Amino acid sequence: MKTSYWEKEIETIDRTSLKKLQLKRLKESVAVALKTPFYKARLKKAGITGPDDIKHWEDYKKIPFTTKDDLRECYPNGLLAVPMDDVVRLHTSSGTTGTPTVIYHTKKDIDNWSDLIARCIVATGATEKDIFQNMMSYGMFTGGLGLHYGAEKVGMTVIPMGGGNTKRQIQLMKDFGTTVLHITPSYILHIHSKLAECGVKLEDLKLKKAYLGAEPYSENTRKKAEDLFQIDAYNSYGLSEMNGPGVAFECVHKCGMHVWEDTYLVEVIDPKTGESLPEEKEGELVFTQLVRRATPLLRYRSRDIACIRKGQCACKRTHRRLSRITGRTDDMLIINGVNVYPSQIEEVVMRIPEVGTNYQICLEKEGTLDKLIVKVEIYSKLFKGELSEVDSLKNRIKEELRAAIIIHPAVELHEPGSLPVFEGKAKRVVDNRAKL
Ligand code: AMP
Ligand code: ZN
């Protein structure tokens, strides 16, 4: 497989030089952080009053963690490290789960971010010849503008469609011969289910690649998207606190997502004790921004669960790879005392060929007990709906789920297109247990 690079020197830098660069940038980031009232107080408590208190690479461990709640308390400008005149853009979170958070960017911050995106795009083998349709929503959500500027930097033809309006999306894909999509995993499956309705066949499209991210999904969902569209799908990971997309991305080898370690110091910790975990061991991802000037963030606890892969990638990039994100420390469900991650359920239902492109996880109270109901849409090409078939498919799904999560779920089969569709991040879990 041919390997291309956007910034070859830095992407293939030897690890000793990379660590040196990280230390230099960490010191600079501490100096920047100390300009904010929040970090000035926080770092002082930890005995850090200047960049020279960070002498060795391991000294990052002296820095206390930063949490989402800290960010919320800093709203709107407790973490602003430059004069507002130097800020060219800000992104806030939606604030649906509390006070929003805000990240400011200088012109250089945006430029650095776009370069990271360009690295990601080129790592998947895409070029200026590609037609790129960005189906992530534009505006405050970072998936829209983030990818947009990186794609323009590469020289791709960008169709800034944003999220939703499925029929128009399909029409544009056909009319302009879109070759690369940026889209959520749930939405790409939905797009496929609408092709026939729009009178479009797979042969009418020129699609080759899709960048799937913004929400957790399983390897089976990736395979489903790849098989349905006959494309390569690449995992794309990011979080708005660390700019957004472009934190980690798969290369053509699709064996984990390279984290751009010259920009992000990544750690995996035990979420309960805060202790560092070795490679291949799953835990919470913690990131330190090493280059952003407008909003520094040191040792930010992402709540995302993954591990760092051992060994080198065949592409020769030296930046280590993250595994798929298997869940979040805050999305674990406790069902009758058993811990279950939604991703475990997705993995099972998406490997069953008769299951279509959408599913939902519902929780109800039945007396004092919790009841798990897994609703799946059927794949009409493979499933004709004879009564005997219905029972046998339901039982098969139930059995496979029970083997994976120990709980006996109820399974409901639904018509294609009948479960709720999300054009942005999917909301798969409906938990009615607290409701009377
Ligand atoms: P936001 O800050 O709104 O952009 O959301 C970021 C969050 O989306 C991350 O912290 C993850 O929980 C989730 N996310 C983004 N990309 C992925 C991905 N490729 N796989 C799993 N979860 C993802
Ligand atoms: Zn690689």
Side-chain angles (χ1 to χ4, degrees):
M1 239 173 292
K2 189 176 164 278
T3 304
S4 310
Y5 307 95
W6 179 249
E7 293 166 308
K8 184 167 184 192
E9 205 176 314
I10 191 75
E11 291 175 51
T12 57
I13 184 174
D14 67 274
R15 299 248 1 134
T16 312
S17 310
L18 179 60
K19 273 189 152 181
K20 254 196 208 156
L21 181 64
Q22 284 185 324
L23 176 60
K24 177 178 162 277
R25 289 186 171 175
L26 181 62
K27 286 165 101 128
E28 288 165 4
S29 301
V30 165
V32 172
L34 284 166
K35 293 183 192 162
T36 67
F38 169 77
Y39 275 120
K40 199 168 180 181
R42 180 63 67 91
L43 293 176
K44 194 173 165 204
K45 264 197 198 155
I48 302 170
T49 52
D52 289 340
D53 290 320
I54 304 289
K55 290 193 172 58
H56 310 286
W57 186 79
E58 291 75 18
D59 286 348
Y60 73 81
K61 290 186 181 155
K62 291 187 193 164
I63 299 171
F65 292 121
T66 306
T67 64
K68 181 110 182 167
D69 285 341
D70 293 329
L71 272 186
R72 287 192 174 124
E73 274 170 34
C74 287
Y75 186 85
N77 52 18
L79 270 171
L80 179 61
V82 295
M84 198 55 113
D85 286 0
D86 294 346
V87 171
V88 298
R89 197 199 302 167
L90 63 85
H91 283 274
T92 71
S93 66
S94 62
T96 42
T97 53
T99 315
T101 57
V102 56
I103 301 294
Y104 299 95
H105 300 271
T106 64
K107 201 167 195 303
K108 181 82 179 120
D109 291 340
I110 294 283
D111 199 43
N112 288 337
W113 179 17
S114 308
D115 268 320
L116 294 187
I117 300 287
R119 282 188 205 172
C120 300
I121 290 172
V122 171
T124 68
T127 68
E128 73 284 354
K129 295 201 169 60
D130 279 293
I131 313 284
F132 175 68
Q133 193 164 332
N134 194 359
M135 296 194 185
M136 292 285 190
S137 98
Y138 277 65
M140 288 302 203
F141 179 59
T142 53
L145 289 172
L147 257 285
H148 182 99
Y149 286 105
E152 282 192 352
K153 226 174 202 192
V154 171
M156 297 167 107
T157 306
V158 180
I159 307 177
M161 177 59 193
N165 205 342
T166 307
K167 283 193 178 146
R168 180 122 194 270
Q169 298 276 16
I170 293 173
Q171 189 67 44
L172 292 179
M173 283 167 76
K174 180 170 172 251
D175 294 348
F176 296 102
T178 299
T179 55
V180 182
L181 289 185
H182 180 216
I183 184 168
T184 61
S186 43
Y187 196 46
I188 195 171
L189 297 181
H190 178 67
I191 293 261
H192 186 270
S193 71
K194 292 286 168 193
L195 288 181
E197 214 174 283
C198 297
V200 172
K201 294 196 225 56
L202 216 49
E203 308 84 85
D204 300 330
L205 302 178
K206 296 207 169 70
L207 202 60
K208 290 190 290 194
K209 297 177 176 43
Y211 303 151
L212 305 184
E215 64 190 25
Y217 64 109
S218 63
E219 197 54 41
N220 292 326
T221 296
R222 181 224 296 261
K223 281 206 195 92
K224 197 157 223 160
E226 290 190 326
D227 291 347
L228 289 173
F229 277 102
Q230 297 293 301
I231 55 167
D232 282 306
Y234 297 90
N235 200 359
S236 153
Y237 169 75
L239 57 165
S240 45
E241 296 82 355
M242 291 294 136
N243 293 352
V247 174
F249 220 89
E250 283 181 325
C251 69
V252 283
H253 298 284
K254 296 195 275 188
C255 55
M257 301 178 281
H258 290 283
V259 190
W260 301 120
E261 291 185 87
D262 59 317
T263 306
Y264 301 101
L265 186 69
V266 59
E267 306 165 60
V268 178
I269 62 160
D270 177 329
K272 289 206 185 87
T273 62
E275 286 299 309
S276 288
L277 295 173
E279 290 176 349
E280 296 294 336
K281 197 106 184 111
E282 247 188 20
E284 181 180 349
L285 298 174
V286 174
F287 294 99
T288 296
Q289 238 292 352
L290 294 172
V291 300
R292 198 171 56 208
R293 287 294 177 257
T295 313
L297 265 191
L298 308 175
R299 300 195 87 196
Y300 180 71
R301 292 189 61 157
S302 70
R303 303 191 202 177
D304 290 325
I305 301 166
C307 69
I308 296 179
R309 290 264 171 255
K310 240 194 185 133
Q312 241 221 311
C313 183
C315 75
K316 300 216 163 54
R317 286 179 180 81
T318 46
H319 301 239
R320 290 176 302 167
R321 288 156 298 147
L322 286 186
S323 69
R324 189 170 283 288
I325 311 291
T326 54
R328 289 178 54 83
T329 54
D330 52 1
D331 80 352
M332 187 181 76
L333 302 166
I334 304 180
I335 308 174
N336 293 323
V338 178
N339 297 348
V340 177
Y341 283 99
S343 59
Q344 293 174 287
I345 296 176
E346 165 165 334
E347 199 165 309
V348 170
V349 297
M350 283 294 144
R351 71 168 174 242
I352 297 173
E354 295 90 341
V355 169
T357 51
N358 204 355
Y359 73 97
Q360 198 178 45
I361 299 166
C362 299
L363 288 156
E364 308 278 347
K365 247 338 186 200
E366 202 171 53
T368 54
L369 288 180
D370 298 332
K371 185 176 179 195
L372 167 66
I373 307 146
V374 178
K375 302 180 178 179
V376 301
E377 284 184 8
I378 50 163
Y379 185 38
S380 45
K381 266 196 193 153
L382 290 182
F383 185 80
K384 298 287 169 250
E386 307 282 329
L387 213 55
S388 59
E389 256 188 309
V390 171
D391 281 343
S392 108
L393 178 58
K394 266 193 192 173
N395 285 334
R396 186 144 52 92
I397 300 174
K398 255 191 223 173
E399 260 321 294
E400 295 210 17
L401 281 170
R402 199 199 51 77
I405 59 173
I406 326 178
I407 291 167
H408 285 273
V411 170
E412 287 181 11
L413 303 184
H414 288 256
E415 293 280 322
S418 60
L419 292 176
V421 174
F422 299 91
E423 288 151 357
K425 288 174 193 270
K427 263 207 170 74
R428 301 287 196 190
V429 179
V430 181
D431 193 343
N432 289 324
R433 288 176 297 178
K435 291 185 194 149
L436 287 178

